[in-house]
Amino acid sequence: MAISVVTGRVLDAGFGFAPLFLFAASSYLLALAWLQLLLPRIQRAAPTPSFHTALPA
């Protein structure tokens, strides 16, 4: 809700959409950097036995 209020005020002030796109782009890059810090290397999980194997008839 706060973002919609800020969006309205930015547009009413005559700044256009540039600050909004700048905010969105920087938020994306910050989230990407945060995920890279939390998960620096993603590895494939080891296979585990599945419960969905064929049952004997």
Side-chain angles (χ1 to χ4, degrees):
M1 180 161 163
I3 292 177
S4 63
V5 171
V6 171
T7 300
R9 289 186 182 181
V10 167
L11 292 176
D12 284 342
F15 292 113
F17 285 96
L20 304 174
F21 286 119
L22 184 64
F23 174 75
S26 60
S27 298
Y28 172 79
L29 291 175
L30 284 173
L32 183 63
W34 182 249
L35 284 175
Q36 288 295 320
L37 287 173
L38 291 177
L39 301 169
R41 186 170 175 201
I42 299 175
Q43 297 177 355
R44 188 179 296 250
T48 58
S50 175
F51 291 108
H52 301 290
T53 57
L55 295 174

